[in-house]
């Protein structure tokens, strides 16, 4: 493993009160002495000057320097942190100075995510925790931060490890049967294998549920709004966003890009996409915008089809206007998996009492004007995507975690049914081995270099 010193600015680019430079590598003591002009006691903050040249004629900055001696550091290597003034020029000058004196030590600029990658390679954290670091940095809702923090503390990893232990134990039970002819396997042995299978399946399902919830939180959802002009699409977007958002007035021919806005529903990120711009056009720029809207629709989860009490007798199966019919048809053709929620707006025009407008014909009646029915709509949206809004131990899972869990589930199921139907024991053992391998990819115990490279390249430089 490359453990030559790497250096990067760890704080965000731009101006700030403090800017932090971080150096990590093997055996930094000599290098630290040259950069700081003195030895540093590990884990003590020292106020010192960093000079441009050895003759100490020009000072670059007065900094606080902290030395974390391995293995008690983020990366598990020696780390030097310089807390300087937070300007890009001064930080660049400090980096340049360190690179100049660090040349002889093989120092170079760090690649994106390289500090965290070293922490992973040195066994300070596993892959789930490394990903959680990036997730905390990129989190854009409180729920996402809380779940990522739990993962960083090791909750997700612990569950995977517990399941792995159970799988290994089951493999032992199964493999110890291989040496016996079938008729000699006693009942209690078979029973304990069956019990262990059931225990694993129950445990697995729990992890899967928490991961799927977390995946929704991680990825967010996307909702397409469709309906005739004037039914209140913009008003509904404003009402859901709970603030006035600037929305381009959907006049045919003026749309230059897809109209979308990001809101949150109970901590879940939701992108609302207005389809008002989907008109036929000869304008190339507009065409690009329209293509983007189609792209967004293809990636969406839910279609809100909005009608209004102003115009009666409309429902999804009875759309009078040919144009809307065409658009709806095209939307559903592009994304046949879209879940549809029918919403009837402007209930305030018709009903004076809120109570009687609830849940008619599977249509959610709302009033964007008064706010009536919006909570029902929010609940329906979360219900459709399967989000339970209980934050207890949600695992902020990524797509690769879900894929690995699905593969694991497949192998466990196969192993279990092979066992139940009395099939060859080595078939069962082989499926359990595959299940174990899949689980191991989640924590990084069994993960290809390509995948590791991809995961860490998504980090920012300096992390
Ligand atoms: P869009 O063309 O579908 O985006 O519709 P708008 O949001 O621009 O609304 C069209 C008109 O309907 C505006 O005059 C809104 O004030 C009005 N409107 C929207 N929602 C409601 C509602 O819930 N009740 C009433 N009474 N009027 C509404």
């Amino acid at each position: 493993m490359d453990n030559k010193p790497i250096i990067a600015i760890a704080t965000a680019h731009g101006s700030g009160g403090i800017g932090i430079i971080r150096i990590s590598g093997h055996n930094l003591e000599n290098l630290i002495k040259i950069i700081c002009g003195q030895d540093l006691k590990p884990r003590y903050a020292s106020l010192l000057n960093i000079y441009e040249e050895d003759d100490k004629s020009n000072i670059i900055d007065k900094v606080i320097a902290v030395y974390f001696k391995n293995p008690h550091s983020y990366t598990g290597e020696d780390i030097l942190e310089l807390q300087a003034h937070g300007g890009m020029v001064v930080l660049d000058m400090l980096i340049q100075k360190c690179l100049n004196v660090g040349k002889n030590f093989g120092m170079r600029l760090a690649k994106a995510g390289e500090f965290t990658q070293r922490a992973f390679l040195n066994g300070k954290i596993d892959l789930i925790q490394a990903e959680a670091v990036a997730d905390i940095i990129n989190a854009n809702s409180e729920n996402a931060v809380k779940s990522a923090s739990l993962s960083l503390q090791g909750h997700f990893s612990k569950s995977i490890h517990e399941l792995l232990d159970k799988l290994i134990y089951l493999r032992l039970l199964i493999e110890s049967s291989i040496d016996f002819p079938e008729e000699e396997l006693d009942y209690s042995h078979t029973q304990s294998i069956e019990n262990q299978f059931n225990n694993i399946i129950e445990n697995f399902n729990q992890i899967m549920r928490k991961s799927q919830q977390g995946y929704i939180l991680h990825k967010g959802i996307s909702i397409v709004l469709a309906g005739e002009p004037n039914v209140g699409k913009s008003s509904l977007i404003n009402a859901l966003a709970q603030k006035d958002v600037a929305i381009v007035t959907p006049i045919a021919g003026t749309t230059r890009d897809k109209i979308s806005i990001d809101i949150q529903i109970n901590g879940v990120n939701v992108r609302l996409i207005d389809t008002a711009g989907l008109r036929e056009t000869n304008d190339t720029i507009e065409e690009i915008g329209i293509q983007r809207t189609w792209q967004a629709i293809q990636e969406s989860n839910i279609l809100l089809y909005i009608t209004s009490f102003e115009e009666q007798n409309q429902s999804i199966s009875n759309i009078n206007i040919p144009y809307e019919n065409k658009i709806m048809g095209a939307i559903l053709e592009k994304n046949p998996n879209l879940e549809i929620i029918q919403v009837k707006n402007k209930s305030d025009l018709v009903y004076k009492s809120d109570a009687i407008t609830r849940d008619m014909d599977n249509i959610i009646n709302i009033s964007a004007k008064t706010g009536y029915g919006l909570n029902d709509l929010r609940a329906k949206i979360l219900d459709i995507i399967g989000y339970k809004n209980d934050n207890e131990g949600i695992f902020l899972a990524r797509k690769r975690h879900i894929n690995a869990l699905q593969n694991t589930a497949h192998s466990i199921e196969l192993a279990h049914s092979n066992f139940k139907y009395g099939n060859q024991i080595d078939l069962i053992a082989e499926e359990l081995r595959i299940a174990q391998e899949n689980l191991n990819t989640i924590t990084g115990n069994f993960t290809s270099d390509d995948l590791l490279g991809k995961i860490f390249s998504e980090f920012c430089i300096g992390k």
Side-chain angles (χ1 to χ4, degrees):
M1 186 185 109
D2 175 13
N3 54 17
K4 295 261 165 55
I6 48 171
I7 183 167
I9 300 174
T11 37
H13 280 225
S15 308
I18 295 173
I20 297 178
I21 287 171
R22 185 147 64 169
I23 300 172
S24 177
H26 182 58
N27 241 339
L28 290 189
E29 260 169 36
N30 290 337
L31 181 63
I32 287 173
K33 191 162 186 181
I34 302 176
I35 293 172
C36 300
Q38 63 184 72
D39 285 322
L40 297 184
K41 191 170 169 189
R43 294 171 162 260
Y44 275 75
S46 314
L47 184 65
L48 49 88
N49 292 330
I50 306 272
Y51 295 95
E52 217 165 28
E53 305 289 344
D54 288 347
D55 64 10
K56 300 194 174 179
S57 48
N58 290 322
I59 173 175
I60 302 176
D61 199 7
K62 184 170 249 182
V63 304
I64 289 179
V66 186
Y67 167 38
F68 299 93
K69 190 167 172 48
N70 83 81
H72 307 293
S73 72
Y74 180 67
T75 56
E77 302 174 331
D78 284 353
I79 283 190
L80 172 66
E81 250 181 44
L82 300 177
Q83 302 177 8
H85 290 97
M88 289 319 293
V89 177
V90 65
L91 290 174
D92 279 342
M93 286 170 76
L94 288 169
I95 292 256
Q96 209 45 58
K97 152 87 188 189
C98 294
L99 281 173
N100 286 344
V101 298
K103 252 192 321 242
N104 296 338
F105 298 81
M107 188 196 282
R108 60 171 171 78
L109 290 170
K111 292 186 278 219
E114 203 171 1
F115 291 93
T116 309
Q117 186 168 19
R118 287 189 176 193
F120 166 71
L121 293 174
N122 287 322
K124 295 293 286 188
I125 51 175
D126 67 19
L127 204 47
I128 292 180
Q129 290 169 308
E131 288 165 321
V133 172
D135 290 340
I136 287 187
I137 294 173
N138 297 325
N140 45 15
S141 76
E142 278 184 27
N143 286 357
V145 170
K146 285 179 196 159
S147 302
S149 293
L150 283 179
S151 289
L152 186 56
Q153 285 163 43
H155 285 240
F156 191 6
S157 311
K158 189 162 160 261
S159 302
I160 298 288
H161 284 298
E162 280 168 4
L163 186 60
L164 271 168
D165 287 346
K166 288 180 183 170
L167 262 180
I168 291 166
Y169 178 64
L170 177 59
R171 276 185 71 186
L172 283 176
L173 281 179
I174 298 266
E175 283 173 22
S176 67
S177 323
I178 290 179
D179 302 330
F180 296 98
E182 220 160 277
E183 51 280 13
E184 282 179 28
L185 280 179
D186 68 5
Y187 174 76
S188 70
H189 189 73
T190 314
Q191 194 56 39
S192 59
I193 291 179
E194 178 60 21
N195 290 346
Q196 188 65 9
F197 258 119
N198 291 334
N199 184 299
I200 285 176
I201 290 167
E202 193 183 314
N203 191 181
F204 176 86
N205 289 340
Q206 213 178 16
I207 295 178
M208 190 66 172
R209 256 196 317 275
K210 288 181 175 181
S211 304
Q212 275 166 335
Q213 297 290 302
Y215 181 56
I216 294 169
L217 204 55
H218 181 86
K219 192 165 166 276
I221 55 167
S222 171
I223 297 179
V224 182
L225 281 90
E228 289 169 37
N230 247 17
V231 291
K233 292 184 294 299
S234 314
S235 308
L236 176 59
I237 290 176
N238 278 329
L240 285 175
Q242 290 172 320
K243 60 177 184 235
D244 264 350
V245 259
I247 294 163
V248 185
T249 317
I251 300 167
T254 61
T255 312
R256 293 285 175 201
D257 204 342
K258 72 170 187 254
I259 302 168
S260 72
I261 165 163
D262 294 331
I263 64 166
Q264 283 189 3
I265 297 179
N266 290 1
V268 177
N269 290 313
V270 177
R271 173 155 295 179
L272 296 172
I273 299 153
D274 197 344
T275 52
L278 292 177
R279 313 234 162 217
E280 285 167 31
T281 174
N282 296 321
D283 178 354
T284 346
I285 302 173
E286 189 171 320
E287 195 109 273
I288 294 168
I290 287 174
Q291 277 168 13
R292 287 203 195 132
T293 306
W294 280 120
Q295 175 76 28
I297 286 171
Q298 264 167 301
E299 291 160 8
S300 295
N301 314 73
I302 294 174
L303 170 79
L304 286 190
Y305 183 68
I306 303 157
T307 55
S308 128
F309 279 95
E310 243 171 6
E311 303 100 46
Q312 292 295 327
N313 301 326
Q314 288 179 14
S315 76
I316 239 155
S317 52
N318 181 23
I319 303 165
N320 296 323
I321 298 179
Y323 175 74
E324 287 303 333
N325 235 335
K326 212 168 116 192
I327 289 277
M328 284 285 291
I331 288 175
L332 293 176
E333 196 182 319
K334 293 253 184 214
N335 188 342
N337 296 326
L338 264 184
E339 296 275 358
I340 301 172
I341 303 178
Q342 288 194 67
V343 176
K344 201 159 182 177
N345 190 26
K346 309 194 187 182
S347 66
D348 56 288
L349 293 179
V350 185
Y351 297 102
K352 297 301 163 211
S353 156
D354 283 351
I356 49 170
T357 66
R358 252 164 224 275
D359 281 341
M360 282 167 53
D361 304 316
N362 213 14
I363 298 175
I364 300 189
N365 296 318
I366 62 158
S367 165
K369 191 174 166 186
T370 65
Y372 170 77
L374 292 185
N375 279 342
D376 289 352
L377 179 57
R378 290 189 186 99
K380 178 83 180 170
I381 289 169
L382 294 180
D383 185 45
I384 280 190
I385 57 163
Y387 188 71
K388 300 281 186 298
N389 195 32
D390 94 56
N391 248 332
E392 283 305 300
I394 285 182
F395 302 143
L396 201 61
R398 297 169 171 221
K399 185 84 191 136
R400 74 165 199 94
H401 301 144
I402 300 287
N403 286 343
L405 286 173
Q406 279 165 345
N407 292 337
T408 308
H410 181 68
S411 298
I412 294 176
E413 274 161 27
L414 268 181
H416 193 204
S417 60
N418 274 331
F419 172 72
K420 276 197 298 201
Y421 295 115
N423 291 339
Q424 274 181 344
I425 283 178
D426 37 8
L427 278 183
I428 307 171
E430 174 60 8
E431 283 306 332
L432 290 177
R433 191 191 60 76
I434 298 172
Q436 190 183 339
E437 236 167 50
N438 278 309
L439 274 186
N440 272 329
T441 62
I442 297 182
T443 51
N445 285 352
F446 186 86
T447 305
S448 72
D449 288 348
D450 289 354
L451 179 62
L452 289 181
K454 189 172 170 303
I455 289 170
F456 288 106
S457 67
E458 285 166 10
F459 277 67
C460 42
I461 306 263
K463 194 61 229 176

PDB file of all heavy atoms in Angstrom, residues 227-236 250 274 310 345-349 366-370, ligand 1:
ATOM      1  N   GLY A 227     -51.453  17.656 -15.478  1.00  0.00           N
ATOM      2  CA  GLY A 227     -52.836  18.125 -15.414  1.00  0.00           C
ATOM      3  C   GLY A 227     -52.990  19.328 -16.323  1.00  0.00           C
ATOM      4  O   GLY A 227     -51.990  19.927 -16.731  1.00  0.00           O
ATOM      5  N   GLU A 228     -54.223  19.649 -16.643  1.00  0.00           N
ATOM      6  CA  GLU A 228     -54.456  20.773 -17.546  1.00  0.00           C
ATOM      7  C   GLU A 228     -54.005  22.088 -16.921  1.00  0.00           C
ATOM      8  O   GLU A 228     -53.908  22.186 -15.704  1.00  0.00           O
ATOM      9  CB  GLU A 228     -55.954  20.880 -17.838  1.00  0.00           C
ATOM     10  CG  GLU A 228     -56.458  19.773 -18.708  1.00  0.00           C
ATOM     11  CD  GLU A 228     -57.962  19.774 -18.732  1.00  0.00           C
ATOM     12  OE1 GLU A 228     -58.549  20.880 -18.715  1.00  0.00           O
ATOM     13  OE2 GLU A 228     -58.531  18.679 -18.733  1.00  0.00           O
ATOM     14  N   PRO A 229     -53.781  23.071 -17.775  1.00  0.00           N
ATOM     15  CA  PRO A 229     -53.451  24.393 -17.238  1.00  0.00           C
ATOM     16  C   PRO A 229     -54.575  24.857 -16.316  1.00  0.00           C
ATOM     17  O   PRO A 229     -55.739  24.518 -16.541  1.00  0.00           O
ATOM     18  CB  PRO A 229     -53.385  25.281 -18.485  1.00  0.00           C
ATOM     19  CG  PRO A 229     -53.146  24.353 -19.626  1.00  0.00           C
ATOM     20  CD  PRO A 229     -53.774  23.049 -19.246  1.00  0.00           C
ATOM     21  N   ASN A 230     -54.203  25.570 -15.282  1.00  0.00           N
ATOM     22  CA  ASN A 230     -55.184  26.213 -14.395  1.00  0.00           C
ATOM     23  C   ASN A 230     -55.812  25.335 -13.325  1.00  0.00           C
ATOM     24  O   ASN A 230     -56.627  25.822 -12.558  1.00  0.00           O
ATOM     25  CB  ASN A 230     -56.325  26.829 -15.229  1.00  0.00           C
ATOM     26  CG  ASN A 230     -56.273  28.330 -15.111  1.00  0.00           C
ATOM     27  OD1 ASN A 230     -55.245  28.885 -14.704  1.00  0.00           O
ATOM     28  ND2 ASN A 230     -57.368  28.992 -15.445  1.00  0.00           N
ATOM     29  N   VAL A 231     -55.442  24.054 -13.292  1.00  0.00           N
ATOM     30  CA  VAL A 231     -56.034  23.213 -12.230  1.00  0.00           C
ATOM     31  C   VAL A 231     -55.363  23.481 -10.887  1.00  0.00           C
ATOM     32  O   VAL A 231     -55.866  23.086  -9.835  1.00  0.00           O
ATOM     33  CB  VAL A 231     -55.953  21.697 -12.548  1.00  0.00           C
ATOM     34  CG1 VAL A 231     -56.865  21.336 -13.694  1.00  0.00           C
ATOM     35  CG2 VAL A 231     -54.524  21.266 -12.815  1.00  0.00           C
ATOM     36  N   GLY A 232     -54.187  24.144 -10.923  1.00  0.00           N
ATOM     37  CA  GLY A 232     -53.535  24.514  -9.658  1.00  0.00           C
ATOM     38  C   GLY A 232     -52.240  23.778  -9.396  1.00  0.00           C
ATOM     39  O   GLY A 232     -51.858  23.588  -8.237  1.00  0.00           O
ATOM     40  N   LYS A 233     -51.529  23.390 -10.447  1.00  0.00           N
ATOM     41  CA  LYS A 233     -50.260  22.656 -10.249  1.00  0.00           C
ATOM     42  C   LYS A 233     -49.235  23.533  -9.527  1.00  0.00           C
ATOM     43  O   LYS A 233     -48.624  23.117  -8.550  1.00  0.00           O
ATOM     44  CB  LYS A 233     -49.690  22.188 -11.599  1.00  0.00           C
ATOM     45  CG  LYS A 233     -50.534  21.120 -12.274  1.00  0.00           C
ATOM     46  CD  LYS A 233     -49.919  20.603 -13.540  1.00  0.00           C
ATOM     47  CE  LYS A 233     -49.826  21.645 -14.648  1.00  0.00           C
ATOM     48  NZ  LYS A 233     -51.136  22.167 -15.059  1.00  0.00           N
ATOM     49  N   SER A 234     -49.073  24.765 -10.039  1.00  0.00           N
ATOM     50  CA  SER A 234     -48.095  25.662  -9.403  1.00  0.00           C
ATOM     51  C   SER A 234     -48.497  25.955  -7.964  1.00  0.00           C
ATOM     52  O   SER A 234     -47.656  25.982  -7.064  1.00  0.00           O
ATOM     53  CB  SER A 234     -47.994  26.978 -10.158  1.00  0.00           C
ATOM     54  OG  SER A 234     -47.902  26.727 -11.524  1.00  0.00           O
ATOM     55  N   SER A 235     -49.790  26.157  -7.760  1.00  0.00           N
ATOM     56  CA  SER A 235     -50.258  26.451  -6.399  1.00  0.00           C
ATOM     57  C   SER A 235     -49.982  25.272  -5.477  1.00  0.00           C
ATOM     58  O   SER A 235     -49.605  25.447  -4.316  1.00  0.00           O
ATOM     59  CB  SER A 235     -51.759  26.738  -6.395  1.00  0.00           C
ATOM     60  OG  SER A 235     -52.050  27.732  -7.350  1.00  0.00           O
ATOM     61  N   LEU A 236     -50.147  24.048  -6.007  1.00  0.00           N
ATOM     62  CA  LEU A 236     -49.895  22.862  -5.182  1.00  0.00           C
ATOM     63  C   LEU A 236     -48.406  22.753  -4.840  1.00  0.00           C
ATOM     64  O   LEU A 236     -48.046  22.440  -3.697  1.00  0.00           O
ATOM     65  CB  LEU A 236     -50.358  21.599  -5.917  1.00  0.00           C
ATOM     66  CG  LEU A 236     -50.052  20.279  -5.205  1.00  0.00           C
ATOM     67  CD1 LEU A 236     -50.699  20.225  -3.825  1.00  0.00           C
ATOM     68  CD2 LEU A 236     -50.504  19.079  -6.025  1.00  0.00           C
ATOM     69  N   PRO A 250     -45.835  28.538 -16.789  1.00  0.00           N
ATOM     70  CA  PRO A 250     -45.809  27.629 -17.925  1.00  0.00           C
ATOM     71  C   PRO A 250     -46.593  28.114 -19.136  1.00  0.00           C
ATOM     72  O   PRO A 250     -47.646  27.605 -19.460  1.00  0.00           O
ATOM     73  CB  PRO A 250     -46.420  26.346 -17.351  1.00  0.00           C
ATOM     74  CG  PRO A 250     -47.226  26.779 -16.191  1.00  0.00           C
ATOM     75  CD  PRO A 250     -46.695  28.082 -15.716  1.00  0.00           C
ATOM     76  N   ASP A 274     -42.707  19.665 -12.920  1.00  0.00           N
ATOM     77  CA  ASP A 274     -43.893  20.131 -13.625  1.00  0.00           C
ATOM     78  C   ASP A 274     -43.760  19.763 -15.100  1.00  0.00           C
ATOM     79  O   ASP A 274     -42.712  19.974 -15.703  1.00  0.00           O
ATOM     80  CB  ASP A 274     -44.004  21.655 -13.465  1.00  0.00           C
ATOM     81  CG  ASP A 274     -45.400  22.132 -13.808  1.00  0.00           C
ATOM     82  OD1 ASP A 274     -46.138  21.360 -14.435  1.00  0.00           O
ATOM     83  OD2 ASP A 274     -45.734  23.269 -13.441  1.00  0.00           O
ATOM     84  N   GLU A 310     -63.304  22.790 -10.330  1.00  0.00           N
ATOM     85  CA  GLU A 310     -63.865  23.792 -11.240  1.00  0.00           C
ATOM     86  C   GLU A 310     -64.375  23.138 -12.518  1.00  0.00           C
ATOM     87  O   GLU A 310     -65.393  23.482 -13.064  1.00  0.00           O
ATOM     88  CB  GLU A 310     -62.793  24.831 -11.574  1.00  0.00           C
ATOM     89  CG  GLU A 310     -63.177  26.208 -11.099  1.00  0.00           C
ATOM     90  CD  GLU A 310     -62.008  27.168 -11.234  1.00  0.00           C
ATOM     91  OE1 GLU A 310     -60.962  26.806 -11.792  1.00  0.00           O
ATOM     92  OE2 GLU A 310     -62.167  28.293 -10.769  1.00  0.00           O
ATOM     93  N   ASN A 345     -58.166  19.201  -6.934  1.00  0.00           N
ATOM     94  CA  ASN A 345     -57.848  20.456  -6.241  1.00  0.00           C
ATOM     95  C   ASN A 345     -59.066  21.398  -6.177  1.00  0.00           C
ATOM     96  O   ASN A 345     -60.058  21.176  -6.846  1.00  0.00           O
ATOM     97  CB  ASN A 345     -56.678  21.131  -6.980  1.00  0.00           C
ATOM     98  CG  ASN A 345     -56.125  22.313  -6.214  1.00  0.00           C
ATOM     99  OD1 ASN A 345     -56.233  22.379  -4.991  1.00  0.00           O
ATOM    100  ND2 ASN A 345     -55.557  23.283  -6.925  1.00  0.00           N
ATOM    101  N   LYS A 346     -58.922  22.427  -5.414  1.00  0.00           N
ATOM    102  CA  LYS A 346     -59.931  23.484  -5.254  1.00  0.00           C
ATOM    103  C   LYS A 346     -61.194  22.976  -4.555  1.00  0.00           C
ATOM    104  O   LYS A 346     -62.311  23.353  -4.887  1.00  0.00           O
ATOM    105  CB  LYS A 346     -60.290  24.125  -6.603  1.00  0.00           C
ATOM    106  CG  LYS A 346     -59.070  24.580  -7.416  1.00  0.00           C
ATOM    107  CD  LYS A 346     -59.420  25.498  -8.564  1.00  0.00           C
ATOM    108  CE  LYS A 346     -58.180  25.759  -9.416  1.00  0.00           C
ATOM    109  NZ  LYS A 346     -58.373  26.665 -10.526  1.00  0.00           N
ATOM    110  N   SER A 347     -61.005  22.052  -3.604  1.00  0.00           N
ATOM    111  CA  SER A 347     -62.173  21.525  -2.889  1.00  0.00           C
ATOM    112  C   SER A 347     -62.892  22.640  -2.132  1.00  0.00           C
ATOM    113  O   SER A 347     -64.085  22.542  -1.865  1.00  0.00           O
ATOM    114  CB  SER A 347     -61.757  20.418  -1.930  1.00  0.00           C
ATOM    115  OG  SER A 347     -60.943  20.946  -0.910  1.00  0.00           O
ATOM    116  N   ASP A 348     -62.168  23.715  -1.848  1.00  0.00           N
ATOM    117  CA  ASP A 348     -62.792  24.826  -1.113  1.00  0.00           C
ATOM    118  C   ASP A 348     -63.930  25.472  -1.899  1.00  0.00           C
ATOM    119  O   ASP A 348     -64.815  26.100  -1.339  1.00  0.00           O
ATOM    120  CB  ASP A 348     -61.717  25.878  -0.776  1.00  0.00           C
ATOM    121  CG  ASP A 348     -60.994  26.368  -2.010  1.00  0.00           C
ATOM    122  OD1 ASP A 348     -60.183  25.594  -2.579  1.00  0.00           O
ATOM    123  OD2 ASP A 348     -61.235  27.497  -2.439  1.00  0.00           O
ATOM    124  N   LEU A 349     -63.926  25.289  -3.237  1.00  0.00           N
ATOM    125  CA  LEU A 349     -64.993  25.896  -4.040  1.00  0.00           C
ATOM    126  C   LEU A 349     -66.302  25.136  -3.895  1.00  0.00           C
ATOM    127  O   LEU A 349     -67.377  25.673  -4.122  1.00  0.00           O
ATOM    128  CB  LEU A 349     -64.599  25.883  -5.528  1.00  0.00           C
ATOM    129  CG  LEU A 349     -63.434  26.764  -5.940  1.00  0.00           C
ATOM    130  CD1 LEU A 349     -63.175  26.616  -7.428  1.00  0.00           C
ATOM    131  CD2 LEU A 349     -63.718  28.224  -5.586  1.00  0.00           C
ATOM    132  N   ILE A 366     -58.101  17.959  -2.361  1.00  0.00           N
ATOM    133  CA  ILE A 366     -57.282  18.932  -1.644  1.00  0.00           C
ATOM    134  C   ILE A 366     -57.703  20.359  -1.998  1.00  0.00           C
ATOM    135  O   ILE A 366     -58.473  20.577  -2.944  1.00  0.00           O
ATOM    136  CB  ILE A 366     -55.784  18.794  -2.009  1.00  0.00           C
ATOM    137  CG1 ILE A 366     -55.562  19.064  -3.499  1.00  0.00           C
ATOM    138  CG2 ILE A 366     -55.223  17.451  -1.638  1.00  0.00           C
ATOM    139  CD1 ILE A 366     -54.156  19.467  -3.833  1.00  0.00           C
ATOM    140  N   SER A 367     -57.197  21.273  -1.242  1.00  0.00           N
ATOM    141  CA  SER A 367     -57.283  22.670  -1.638  1.00  0.00           C
ATOM    142  C   SER A 367     -55.898  23.278  -1.432  1.00  0.00           C
ATOM    143  O   SER A 367     -55.433  23.403  -0.304  1.00  0.00           O
ATOM    144  CB  SER A 367     -58.317  23.415  -0.789  1.00  0.00           C
ATOM    145  OG  SER A 367     -58.127  24.810  -0.952  1.00  0.00           O
ATOM    146  N   ALA A 368     -55.250  23.588  -2.535  1.00  0.00           N
ATOM    147  CA  ALA A 368     -53.927  24.218  -2.439  1.00  0.00           C
ATOM    148  C   ALA A 368     -54.071  25.566  -1.759  1.00  0.00           C
ATOM    149  O   ALA A 368     -53.139  26.056  -1.115  1.00  0.00           O
ATOM    150  CB  ALA A 368     -53.325  24.383  -3.829  1.00  0.00           C
ATOM    151  N   LYS A 369     -55.271  26.136  -1.877  1.00  0.00           N
ATOM    152  CA  LYS A 369     -55.505  27.458  -1.301  1.00  0.00           C
ATOM    153  C   LYS A 369     -55.591  27.407   0.224  1.00  0.00           C
ATOM    154  O   LYS A 369     -54.942  28.190   0.922  1.00  0.00           O
ATOM    155  CB  LYS A 369     -56.803  28.031  -1.890  1.00  0.00           C
ATOM    156  CG  LYS A 369     -57.053  29.477  -1.601  1.00  0.00           C
ATOM    157  CD  LYS A 369     -58.274  29.942  -2.368  1.00  0.00           C
ATOM    158  CE  LYS A 369     -58.753  31.281  -1.861  1.00  0.00           C
ATOM    159  NZ  LYS A 369     -60.020  31.654  -2.515  1.00  0.00           N
ATOM    160  N   THR A 370     -56.395  26.478   0.747  1.00  0.00           N
ATOM    161  CA  THR A 370     -56.575  26.431   2.211  1.00  0.00           C
ATOM    162  C   THR A 370     -55.632  25.441   2.897  1.00  0.00           C
ATOM    163  O   THR A 370     -55.492  25.447   4.105  1.00  0.00           O
ATOM    164  CB  THR A 370     -58.021  26.008   2.581  1.00  0.00           C
ATOM    165  OG1 THR A 370     -58.203  24.656   2.138  1.00  0.00           O
ATOM    166  CG2 THR A 370     -59.064  26.906   1.940  1.00  0.00           C
TER     167      THR A 370
HETATM  168  P1  LIG B   1     -51.547  25.669 -12.991  1.00  0.00           P
HETATM  169  O1  LIG B   1     -51.735  26.307 -14.317  1.00  0.00           O
HETATM  170  O2  LIG B   1     -52.074  24.277 -12.995  1.00  0.00           O
HETATM  171  O3  LIG B   1     -50.154  25.723 -12.490  1.00  0.00           O
HETATM  172  O4  LIG B   1     -52.496  26.455 -11.978  1.00  0.00           O
HETATM  173  P2  LIG B   1     -52.157  27.634 -10.941  1.00  0.00           P
HETATM  174  O5  LIG B   1     -51.497  27.123  -9.742  1.00  0.00           O
HETATM  175  O6  LIG B   1     -51.469  28.724 -11.680  1.00  0.00           O
HETATM  176  O7  LIG B   1     -53.604  28.069 -10.510  1.00  0.00           O
HETATM  177  C1  LIG B   1     -54.584  28.501 -11.432  1.00  0.00           C
HETATM  178  C2  LIG B   1     -55.598  29.348 -10.715  1.00  0.00           C
HETATM  179  O8  LIG B   1     -56.335  28.561  -9.766  1.00  0.00           O
HETATM  180  C3  LIG B   1     -54.992  30.487  -9.927  1.00  0.00           C
HETATM  181  O9  LIG B   1     -55.825  31.609 -10.062  1.00  0.00           O
HETATM  182  C4  LIG B   1     -55.008  29.987  -8.474  1.00  0.00           C
HETATM  183  O10 LIG B   1     -55.113  31.025  -7.533  1.00  0.00           O
HETATM  184  C5  LIG B   1     -56.263  29.140  -8.467  1.00  0.00           C
HETATM  185  N1  LIG B   1     -56.187  28.071  -7.473  1.00  0.00           N
HETATM  186  C6  LIG B   1     -55.189  27.170  -7.328  1.00  0.00           C
HETATM  187  N2  LIG B   1     -55.461  26.324  -6.310  1.00  0.00           N
HETATM  188  C7  LIG B   1     -56.662  26.691  -5.799  1.00  0.00           C
HETATM  189  C8  LIG B   1     -57.509  26.203  -4.744  1.00  0.00           C
HETATM  190  O11 LIG B   1     -57.211  25.239  -4.020  1.00  0.00           O
HETATM  191  N3  LIG B   1     -58.686  26.822  -4.542  1.00  0.00           N
HETATM  192  C9  LIG B   1     -59.068  27.877  -5.302  1.00  0.00           C
HETATM  193  N4  LIG B   1     -60.239  28.419  -5.011  1.00  0.00           N
HETATM  194  N5  LIG B   1     -58.314  28.383  -6.291  1.00  0.00           N
HETATM  195  C10 LIG B   1     -57.147  27.804  -6.560  1.00  0.00           C
END
